[in-house]
Amino acid sequence: MVSERGLQVLRAIVQDYVDTREPVGSKAIVERHAFGVSAATIRNDMALLEDEELIAAPHTSSGRVPTDKGYRVFVDHLAEIRPLSPAQRAAIATFLDGPGDLDDALARTVRALTQLTGQVAIVQYPSFSKATITHVELVALDPSRILVIVVTDTGRVSQRLALLSGALDETDLARVRAEVSTLLVGRSVRQGAKRVEEQTDADARTPHQSAVTEILRVVQEELDEFRQDRLVMAGAANLALRESDFRGSIYPLLEAIEEQVTILRLMGEMVADDNGLAASIGRENEAFGLSEASVIASDYDATGARARVGLMGPTRMDYPSNLAAVRAVARYLTRLLAEDEKGR
């Protein structure tokens, strides 16, 4: 059983180790923190923390460093998530303010977050599979090139070019537009994708049917992308700068960044607290091959479709500051997307 002072000693060890990269001894704790007790008393507290596997000695006769379990206790019970400074908030605003579509907003989000924290920044695309298709427009660039525009109630807009094997005049285009709209508008992306698949499986016996099929194939590609789980990331080079914080190789992290599916699964399984913040630390990630990494995340809202923005890095990270940055960026991104929706 760890005493209240023992928990505060754990807090001091985590903070000092994150700041200095050096194992923390009892003498250093007495000198840096106002506990009002002797170094011998602090050593007793540290011995109890070690018995509870919250700290460990990396070398014989060295100071102590937090274990993954120690970081977990720190994050759950001791970390004080401080508001960002005015300068940090200004930096977020500088990156995220301004016009742009969802792709641009998410790209700017990860750039802002990696600049603030020095970690690998991650943002999930929101899943739009439940979004409703509100409009389909076909614009003739010439008789055989049609710009296909699909709009959902979440504000997602896609544009893709369809190259037709035959030519369409304005009358034919109007008929095709009406047919495609009847097929899709008012249905969810998932339902629309299913109907498109059924329609494109049918034989195209006339030029009109052929044009409809060719346009629907383009629509199907867009709807599949709407449903696709994917990430935007930035700051992978920071792993090389922090390689000394990893006991083994950083290769599993680089592989996860390359493949994405591992990080998507991990972020999907992380359980958020009442503030919408989640953390998965060290060995908690062993099933994903990331036992030397920590991932922290916060939920954001894209006009009804929820997703997460987060950070990945070594277990030795500044959890309070990084959690504060993730939370602030997630809230800013939510407001940005809501304002963009109102402006449409």
Side-chain angles (χ1 to χ4, degrees), residues 146-223:
I146 307 298
L147 183 64
V148 182
I149 303 170
V150 181
V151 183
T152 72
D153 63 346
T154 60
R156 183 77 187 268
V157 180
S158 78
Q159 299 181 30
R160 187 169 293 202
L161 189 63
L163 301 176
L164 307 183
S165 56
L168 288 181
D169 60 23
E170 282 298 324
T171 301
D172 291 333
L173 182 62
R175 288 176 57 207
V176 173
R177 183 187 295 116
E179 189 169 335
V180 172
S181 294
T182 300
L183 191 68
L184 297 175
V185 172
R187 293 180 170 82
S188 72
V189 168
R190 184 184 289 116
Q191 292 169 336
K194 184 177 180 181
R195 296 205 71 183
V196 166
E197 186 175 353
E198 293 169 351
Q199 191 76 11
T200 53
D201 285 342
D203 292 333
R205 290 182 293 272
T206 69
H208 171 80
Q209 290 171 330
S210 178
V212 170
T213 299
E214 288 165 345
I215 288 171
L216 285 177
R217 286 201 180 104
V218 171
V219 171
Q220 187 173 30
E221 291 174 5
E222 283 301 289
L223 296 184

Side-chain angles (χ1 to χ4, degrees), residues 81-116:
I81 303 175
R82 299 175 296 275
L84 296 188
S85 68
Q88 289 172 316
R89 292 189 177 279
I92 294 174
T94 298
F95 270 97
L96 295 187
D97 279 350
D101 58 13
L102 178 67
D103 295 335
D104 182 58
L106 299 189
R108 286 184 282 148
T109 295
V110 290
R111 288 201 301 271
L113 199 49
T114 195
Q115 286 279 350
L116 277 175

Side-chain angles (χ1 to χ4, degrees), residues 72-307:
R72 168 53 65 191
V73 170
F74 175 79
V75 168
D76 287 349
H77 304 291
L78 302 172
E80 297 175 357
I81 303 175
R82 299 175 296 275
L84 296 188
S85 68
Q88 289 172 316
R89 292 189 177 279
I92 294 174
T94 298
F95 270 97
L96 295 187
D97 279 350
D101 58 13
L102 178 67
D103 295 335
D104 182 58
L106 299 189
R108 286 184 282 148
T109 295
V110 290
R111 288 201 301 271
L113 199 49
T114 195
Q115 286 279 350
L116 277 175
T117 65
Q119 308 289 350
V120 178
I122 307 163
V123 62
Q124 285 179 304
Y125 267 82
S127 174
F128 291 102
S129 60
K130 295 180 181 179
T132 299
I133 300 167
T134 57
H135 187 67
V136 178
E137 184 58 71
L138 306 180
V139 179
L141 303 181
D142 62 42
S144 60
R145 293 194 310 149
I146 307 298
L147 183 64
V148 182
I149 303 170
V150 181
V151 183
T152 72
D153 63 346
T154 60
R156 183 77 187 268
V157 180
S158 78
Q159 299 181 30
R160 187 169 293 202
L161 189 63
L163 301 176
L164 307 183
S165 56
L168 288 181
D169 60 23
E170 282 298 324
T171 301
D172 291 333
L173 182 62
R175 288 176 57 207
V176 173
R177 183 187 295 116
E179 189 169 335
V180 172
S181 294
T182 300
L183 191 68
L184 297 175
V185 172
R187 293 180 170 82
S188 72
V189 168
R190 184 184 289 116
Q191 292 169 336
K194 184 177 180 181
R195 296 205 71 183
V196 166
E197 186 175 353
E198 293 169 351
Q199 191 76 11
T200 53
D201 285 342
D203 292 333
R205 290 182 293 272
T206 69
H208 171 80
Q209 290 171 330
S210 178
V212 170
T213 299
E214 288 165 345
I215 288 171
L216 285 177
R217 286 201 180 104
V218 171
V219 171
Q220 187 173 30
E221 291 174 5
E222 283 301 289
L223 296 184
D224 286 344
E225 190 167 306
F226 280 14
R227 295 185 297 165
Q228 186 179 31
D229 290 329
R230 56 193 175 114
L231 301 171
V232 181
M233 286 178 278
N238 290 322
L239 291 176
L241 298 176
R242 298 174 180 272
E243 192 165 6
S244 60
D245 286 326
F246 296 91
R247 294 182 298 274
S249 170
I250 62 172
Y251 177 76
L253 280 77
L254 295 173
E255 187 175 41
I257 291 170
E258 182 73 22
E259 296 295 331
Q260 292 202 0
V261 64
T262 297
I263 301 174
L264 276 165
R265 284 177 48 225
L266 173 55
M267 290 186 76
E269 293 184 15
M270 290 166 63
V271 178
D273 62 17
D274 294 340
N275 297 313
L277 291 169
S280 192
I281 300 169
R283 291 180 183 173
E284 296 170 1
N285 301 319
E286 194 164 8
F288 302 93
L290 298 172
S291 58
E292 290 196 37
S294 285
V295 178
I296 62 176
S298 181
D299 295 338
Y300 77 92
D301 185 83
T303 58
R306 296 192 68 79

